[in-house]
Amino acid sequence: MSMPSLARAIAAAVLAVCALAPSGASAQNFERPVRLIVPFAPGGTSDILARLISPKLSAAIGQSVVVENKPGAAGNLGADAVAKAQPDGHTLLLMDVGSLATAPSLFSDLTFDVQKDLAPISMVMFGPYVLAVHESVPAKTSKELIEYAKANPNKLTVANSGVGGANHITAVVMAKELGIQWKNVPYKGGAAASRAVVSGESGVIINGAAATMPFVTNKQLVGLAVTGEQRIASAPDLPTFKEAGLPGGDAGTWQGILTTGGTPPAMVARLNAEIRKILELPEVQQKIAEQGGVVRAQSPEEFRNWLKDATTRWGTIIREAGIKGS
């Protein structure tokens, strides 16, 4: 074989091998718009974060990032859509991952495996819960609320973002430990739950500060207390649960981003890197802080371990409290 023929043969062989084995670079590229699914109605904490992050992620990856609200079944409907998507990193899930941690213990008909069918990318933030009431509820402090609840069993209704959500379970545990009775009413997300209390349809809410504090600030709800270790900057007069003598002070909304299980590790790593860069931006940190939140970026492995531990911990709480899903 002549030298030119040999060279052509070698080049053809190299091209054939490259075609069979995708490069690390191509495994990290985005070839079409990305869907960022929020499994709750617009206006809640997850939705607020998604619309804060999506334009910056779009600029970073060179593709549109479209926020899609898909509420239903306490977040499980949207999570299922991501779990069953093509495993290439083009379908993302942003939600309160406490709901993912509770789902296996609550729903016997869960259509996806949280650990196997979803790939953690990064935690985004921790936000405290706000305990607030409609102005018609005769309580201006947590103590007055508990006294009223004890004197009026099952008269108060507590709005939540869906059966099995961490805020629902927090309300159940509070009632059990405080010796009170109130009715829990599920809605399609924290925003819908907040609006229900603003309208007077429900009387009490325990919900993420990002979605709830604007109503407190605008005097549409009466704020009573916040979870977390310290008071939040946007409401320095509200005591912490611990200061108010309430149980559940470590509860709150943990927001994270996941994709479909089986997505190539290189793509997960790329998404993790881009999201963590976004979370380091001063304007993003300021916006999250204004809502009472704290940035909690993690590696995919750290996030996976958190989710596994939280699933075990919430499972114990659910069984001990006798909470039923479906």
Side-chain angles (χ1 to χ4, degrees):
M1 181 181 292
S2 65
M3 288 302 293
S5 297
L6 178 60
R8 285 194 296 272
I10 293 173
V14 170
L15 288 173
V17 171
C18 289
L20 291 172
S23 68
S26 65
Q28 301 176 48
N29 291 336
F30 291 84
E31 301 172 349
R32 62 183 187 279
V34 171
R35 298 167 67 203
L36 178 53
I37 293 179
V38 174
F40 303 111
T45 303
S46 300
D47 185 67
I48 291 170
L49 284 175
R51 297 181 191 281
L52 174 65
I53 290 171
S54 59
K56 301 181 188 308
L57 182 58
S58 176
I61 66 175
Q63 290 284 353
S64 297
V65 178
V66 182
V67 177
E68 179 181 334
N69 295 92
K70 199 174 183 67
N76 292 332
L77 187 63
D80 179 73
V82 178
K84 291 180 169 56
Q86 186 174 343
D88 58 7
H90 285 69
T91 307
L92 308 179
L93 175 70
L94 196 161
M95 67 179 294
D96 182 344
V97 291
S99 295
L100 287 179
T102 63
S105 298
L106 283 168
F107 302 100
S108 58
D109 58 350
L110 199 63
T111 54
F112 61 95
D113 187 307
V114 174
Q115 299 295 329
K116 295 179 180 178
D117 297 333
L118 293 170
I121 295 173
S122 177
M123 191 74 78
V124 174
M125 65 160 274
F126 167 78
Y129 282 152
V130 174
L131 170 63
V133 298
H134 184 262
E135 61 182 3
S136 64
V137 176
K140 301 301 181 185
T141 66
S142 300
K143 182 179 179 181
E144 291 176 354
L145 176 65
I146 302 310
E147 290 174 348
Y148 179 79
K150 287 183 176 180
N152 298 272
N154 286 320
K155 185 172 183 179
L156 289 173
T157 55
V158 186
N160 62 61
S161 59
V163 175
N167 56 356
H168 169 219
I169 296 174
T170 298
V172 172
V173 172
M174 280 182 62
K176 183 178 181 180
E177 295 194 14
L178 293 170
I180 60 177
Q181 297 177 47
W182 51 26
K183 298 177 181 178
N184 289 283
V185 182
Y187 291 86
K188 290 185 177 181
S194 295
R195 290 193 294 270
V197 182
V198 168
S199 70
E201 181 177 297
S202 288
V204 184
I205 190 166
I206 303 169
N207 193 45
T212 310
M213 276 309 302
F215 296 112
V216 174
T217 302
N218 293 332
K219 309 299 183 183
Q220 295 171 283
L221 292 175
V222 180
L224 302 181
V226 297
T227 63
E229 297 178 357
Q230 58 189 18
R231 300 186 181 194
I232 59 177
S234 59
D237 293 335
L238 291 187
T240 64
F241 271 40
K242 183 176 181 179
E243 290 172 330
L246 298 174
D250 59 346
T253 175
W254 290 88
Q255 299 286 334
I257 298 180
L258 307 93
T259 189
T260 311
T263 296
M267 180 62 86
V268 172
R270 168 81 190 278
L271 285 164
N272 177 268
E274 299 297 355
I275 290 167
R276 294 181 79 160
K277 288 177 186 176
I278 292 169
L279 295 176
E280 291 173 358
L281 294 173
E283 64 267 31
V284 172
Q285 295 202 353
Q286 180 180 350
K287 182 67 175 179
I288 289 175
E290 286 174 356
Q291 307 299 331
V294 180
V295 170
R296 296 289 192 192
Q298 291 179 332
S299 70
E301 188 62 26
E302 288 172 333
F303 188 7
R304 184 178 297 279
N305 290 337
W306 182 95
L307 187 56
K308 183 177 180 180
D309 292 344
T311 301
T312 300
R313 177 165 47 85
W314 279 113
T316 300
I317 293 172
I318 289 166
R319 287 191 299 274
E320 291 180 349
I323 302 171
K324 303 294 184 181
S326 65

